[in-house]
Amino acid sequence: MTSSLVIPENWTFRNPDVAQHFNQHVREQLPWYDLATLAVAHFGRHYIPTGGCVYDIGASTGNVGLALQETLNQRKASFTAIEESQDMAARYQGPERLVVADAVTYGYEPFDFGVAFLVFMFLPVGQRIGFLERLISLTKPGGALIIVDKVQMPPGYVGTAFSRLTLQQKLAVGAQPEAILRKELSLAGYQRPLDPRMFPQSAKTFFQMGEFVGWIIEAPEK
Ligand SMILES: C[S@@+](CC[C@H](N)C(=O)[O-])C[C@H]1O[C@@H](n2cnc3c(N)ncnc32)[C@H](O)[C@@H]1O
């Protein structure tokens, strides 16, 4: 069954209807969402130490926290989810604790494992590099930062083919053509794909499906 979300003309997460339908909508829009989430859980098992500190940046309804729950429990790690939208926070079902705040200005403690899953594309372009550098500098030796996001496409025909892959995959899981189109236009000015050159050489790609990429950035072993 397809989501009955009414797409706002200008996309926002500060909307109770968007929040209510988020879990279904995101899977309809991004058929690889659960697969990439499983990869985050996998890396969590590799980088969260006993008593570690973990952040979920832009947590929405708690997908990342739920995926990490078992490791968090087993390692007795502290967990903080950060989400700026009250409407999304009201639907949060992940582990304690959730903080409603702007993730860019939030006062982080040094951490072992940080995840920003589909968030940077919604941050103002001018804040991205500084925020990324701050997160990298806060990652403890032995720890890692995970980013999954949408990137700008390469020029030429291959870029067109990548973008059409996203459309084709949405249709394949039953999203309605009109809803796909409305969502694309709704995102104008808010969702802006990342320039992949913002990532340091130490960032390793663990996932790519067309326009969407997952990176893991290990902290240096100082
Ligand atoms: C596509 S959703 C993220 C999905 C989520 N990480 C998951 O795994 O399902 C983007 C989320 O980032 C939040 N967000 C955007 N900008 C933010 C900011 N500056 N600080 C905190 N959260 C932010 C939005 O409110 C929204 O809930």
Side-chain angles (χ1 to χ4, degrees), residues 93-109:
Q93 292 185 314
E96 286 293 321
R97 73 185 175 115
L98 170 68
V99 177
V100 178
D102 176 5
V104 177
T105 55
Y106 184 77
Y108 296 86
E109 300 290 324

Side-chain angles (χ1 to χ4, degrees), residues 13 22 33 58-60 63-64 83-85 88 101-104 117-119 122-123 190:
F13 292 100
F22 177 80
Y33 175 83
S60 291
N63 171 56
V64 167
E83 170 55 52
E84 71 166 9
S85 157
M88 296 302 290
D102 176 5
V104 177
F117 194 95
L118 300 169
V119 179
F122 297 110
L123 302 180
Y190 183 39

Side-chain angles (χ1 to χ4, degrees), residues 11-13 22 30 58 60 84 104 117-125 127-128 149-150 183 186-187 189-194 212:
W11 187 261
T12 176
F13 292 100
F22 177 80
L30 308 170
S60 291
E84 71 166 9
V104 177
F117 194 95
L118 300 169
V119 179
F120 266 76
M121 59 186 165
F122 297 110
L123 302 180
V125 171
Q127 295 183 353
R128 292 176 182 178
D149 230 297
K150 187 174 185 177
K183 175 78 186 288
S186 163
L187 289 167
Y190 183 39
Q191 187 212 68
R192 295 180 57 150
L194 275 52
F212 290 89

Side-chain angles (χ1 to χ4, degrees), residues 21-132:
H21 292 97
F22 177 80
N23 291 344
Q24 191 185 346
H25 180 73
V26 75
R27 289 174 172 84
E28 212 172 275
Q29 293 288 311
L30 308 170
W32 45 263
Y33 175 83
D34 287 320
L35 193 67
T37 300
L38 280 176
V40 173
H42 169 82
F43 289 120
R45 290 187 57 231
H46 284 73
Y47 289 96
I48 300 173
T50 300
C53 174
V54 179
Y55 285 105
D56 176 14
I57 298 159
S60 291
T61 54
N63 171 56
V64 167
L66 289 172
L68 295 174
Q69 180 100 65
E70 207 178 309
T71 304
L72 294 171
N73 294 346
Q74 193 231 334
R75 312 269 164 93
K76 298 185 180 13
S78 79
F79 177 79
T80 307
I82 304 164
E83 170 55 52
E84 71 166 9
S85 157
Q86 282 285 1
D87 295 300
M88 296 302 290
R91 297 270 169 188
Y92 182 80
Q93 292 185 314
E96 286 293 321
R97 73 185 175 115
L98 170 68
V99 177
V100 178
D102 176 5
V104 177
T105 55
Y106 184 77
Y108 296 86
E109 300 290 324
F111 58 82
D112 300 284
F113 194 63
V115 182
F117 194 95
L118 300 169
V119 179
F120 266 76
M121 59 186 165
F122 297 110
L123 302 180
V125 171
Q127 295 183 353
R128 292 176 182 178
I129 292 179
F131 184 43
L132 178 64

